[in-house]
Amino acid sequence: MSLAHVLLTSLIEKPSTGFELARRFDRSMGFFWNATHQQIYRELNGMQKKGWISTLEDQSDHGRKKTYQVEQLGRVELADWMVKQGQPAQLREEIMVRLRAEAQFGGNTVLPELERHLELHR
C-alpha cells in the first residue's frame, strides 16, 4: 500500500485541505499507516502532477486555502490498486506477546497496559 492510495481513499470520503487531511489522517488512517505532515503534502503534490487530484482555491480572510479533490484518473488508479494482489504484512504486536505471557503467569499485570492502549485508540 502506498501513501497515495491512503490519501486517495481519504479524499474520496471527503474533499479536504491539506491541513484537514493531515488531521483526519492522524485520527483515523494514522492508526495503521504512519506519515508525517510533510510526507502528506509532498505526496499530494505528486498526485496533483499525475492528474489524480485537483484543487479548488478559496480566498478567505486567512489567506489562500486549497481543497483537494479526486479526479477521474485518481478514481481509476484507486480502483486498479484495489484489485491487485499484495503481500500479507507481518504483524508484530508486542502487547499480544505480553498477553500470552500473562496467560502463563496470571495476575492481570498486563491489564493497565491494555487499558492504556484502549485509551490511545479512542
Side-chain angles (χ1 to χ4, degrees), residues 25-94:
F25 188 93
D26 287 344
R27 287 184 270 130
S28 61
M29 300 280 197
F31 289 117
F32 51 89
W33 188 270
N34 294 319
T36 66
H37 290 202
Q38 183 180 10
Q39 289 171 315
I40 290 170
Y41 281 103
R42 187 173 38 240
E43 194 67 37
L44 287 170
N45 187 40
M47 292 164 55
Q48 193 170 9
K49 287 179 181 176
K50 291 177 183 176
W52 294 357
I53 62 173
S54 63
T55 59
L56 303 168
E57 292 199 27
D58 178 26
Q59 295 283 2
S60 69
D61 295 338
H62 305 295
R64 216 174 74 211
K65 189 165 58 166
K66 293 181 182 178
T67 299
Y68 296 90
Q69 62 184 7
V70 179
E71 294 297 330
Q72 187 59 33
L73 284 175
R75 290 178 181 278
V76 169
E77 171 59 30
L78 192 57
D80 288 346
W81 171 78
M82 287 174 57
V83 297
K84 290 181 180 174
Q85 290 186 342
Q87 294 298 317
Q90 182 180 7
L91 299 177
R92 301 175 89 183
E93 189 61 49
E94 185 177 306

Side-chain angles (χ1 to χ4, degrees), residues 3 7 17 20 50 54 86 91 102 104-105 110 114:
L3 179 55
L7 295 174
T17 64
E20 293 166 342
K50 291 177 183 176
S54 63
L91 299 177
E102 173 84 25
Q104 299 305 310
F105 284 108
V110 178
L114 283 173

